[in-house]
Amino acid sequence: MSLKEDLELLHADFMSKASPEVRDAMERADKDLADSGIAQKALRTGDKVPDFNLPDARGGYVRLRDLLTKGPVVISFYRGGWCPYCNLDLRALQNVLPEIRMLGAELVAISPQLPDESLSTAEKNELTFPVLSDVGSVTAKDFGIAFDVAEWLRSFYVKAGHTLPKVNGDDSWVLPIPATYVVNSNGIVTSAFVDVDYRKRMEPAEIIKALQELAGELTASL
């Protein structure tokens, strides 16, 4: 089963149990975010990515510039470990991690969560790639994918047990729209998936395909 199918099953199950009030709120939030035009302002294929130096879940720091000296990097932005769609995506990424590394690339996942929350996410999903904390969403803002959760919507998050200031360590209520970037060793985006709908993610097979194309280009240039 593909990641897309898993995500659709999860969403169908959620919607079958959600109240009309929650379903209406989700539809309104989806429309508002789409109308904001944020996806059109995000980094795209051909753009150069900004450097970052972020804490990982185990007390260290990971700098993008250092990773790029070794090869391509896959960067996946997710909302947080409280998001079941994100957890499905992270586990799917973990499943293809051996292929990613065989192709000479590294994978990192970034969320606005505090490092302790990132550690919980990594342990819960048995992740063996770096899970980074972008507290304050500074990096997400640099990539053009950060947005403010509307004030009217915040009470729905709280009722669902997702009080973002608690897990993110600030009062901003900022989240990234889910995005995945395949970046070559020169720091240029060669493939990008950006969507305001958090129930949609880049298929792992598409990531592998993008990395295979990069590997082919490198071989051809030698």
Side-chain angles (χ1 to χ4, degrees), residues 57-100:
R58 304 184 186 279
Y61 275 78
V62 173
R63 185 158 198 165
L64 177 60
R65 187 171 63 192
D66 294 339
L67 295 178
L68 291 174
T69 63
K70 304 172 186 177
V73 178
V74 179
I75 305 169
S76 179
F77 286 90
Y78 69 104
R79 304 195 304 164
W82 50 268
C83 169
Y85 301 92
C86 297
N87 289 320
L88 268 181
D89 186 28
L90 291 170
R91 290 194 292 272
L93 291 171
Q94 177 65 39
N95 288 339
V96 296
L97 182 62
E99 293 176 77
I100 289 173

Side-chain angles (χ1 to χ4, degrees), residues 36-56:
S36 74
I38 184 173
Q40 288 70 46
K41 300 172 185 175
L43 291 187
R44 290 287 182 174
T45 299
D47 290 336
K48 188 172 182 63
V49 296
D51 191 25
F52 56 73
N53 188 30
L54 297 174
D56 64 20

Side-chain angles (χ1 to χ4, degrees), residues 75-78 145 177-181 193-195 201:
I75 305 169
S76 179
F77 286 90
Y78 69 104
I145 58 172
I177 57 173
T180 301
Y181 293 94
F193 178 93
V194 179
D195 201 307
R201 309 297 167 107

Side-chain angles (χ1 to χ4, degrees), residues 5-214:
E5 290 169 328
D6 285 339
L7 292 168
E8 288 176 346
L9 282 174
L10 176 62
H11 181 54
D13 180 64
F14 175 84
M15 293 299 281
S16 70
K17 300 172 183 176
S19 67
E21 181 186 25
V22 169
R23 290 198 295 268
D24 289 345
M26 290 177 63
E27 290 179 6
R28 177 184 171 187
D30 291 346
K31 184 178 184 304
D32 288 351
L33 194 54
D35 289 346
S36 74
I38 184 173
Q40 288 70 46
K41 300 172 185 175
L43 291 187
R44 290 287 182 174
T45 299
D47 290 336
K48 188 172 182 63
V49 296
D51 191 25
F52 56 73
N53 188 30
L54 297 174
D56 64 20
R58 304 184 186 279
Y61 275 78
V62 173
R63 185 158 198 165
L64 177 60
R65 187 171 63 192
D66 294 339
L67 295 178
L68 291 174
T69 63
K70 304 172 186 177
V73 178
V74 179
I75 305 169
S76 179
F77 286 90
Y78 69 104
R79 304 195 304 164
W82 50 268
C83 169
Y85 301 92
C86 297
N87 289 320
L88 268 181
D89 186 28
L90 291 170
R91 290 194 292 272
L93 291 171
Q94 177 65 39
N95 288 339
V96 296
L97 182 62
E99 293 176 77
I100 289 173
R101 288 181 170 162
M102 281 184 63
L103 288 163
E106 184 54 274
L107 165 67
V108 298
I110 302 174
S111 84
Q113 294 181 132
L114 291 165
D116 282 350
E117 297 290 338
S118 294
L119 178 59
S120 296
T121 300
E123 291 177 340
K124 177 174 67 175
N125 293 293
E126 300 181 338
L127 307 179
T128 58
F129 54 85
V131 181
L132 310 181
S133 293
D134 179 27
V135 175
S137 296
V138 175
T139 299
K141 291 174 183 176
D142 287 343
F143 277 71
I145 58 172
F147 72 96
D148 292 303
V149 176
E151 288 191 16
W152 67 265
L153 186 60
R154 296 175 189 180
S155 61
F156 289 90
Y157 276 72
V158 173
K159 289 177 184 177
H162 311 320
T163 305
L164 297 188
K166 181 179 179 180
V167 297
N168 293 351
D170 65 18
D171 297 325
S172 65
W173 284 87
V174 173
L175 287 176
I177 57 173
T180 301
Y181 293 94
V182 177
V183 182
N184 68 17
S185 57
N186 294 318
I188 303 300
V189 177
T190 61
S191 184
F193 178 93
V194 179
D195 201 307
V196 295
D197 187 344
Y198 59 85
R199 293 150 297 221
K200 297 179 180 178
R201 309 297 167 107
M202 190 175 194
E203 281 291 333
E206 291 299 313
I207 295 173
I208 299 303
K209 180 181 177 182
L211 291 173
Q212 288 172 336
E213 290 174 355
L214 276 179

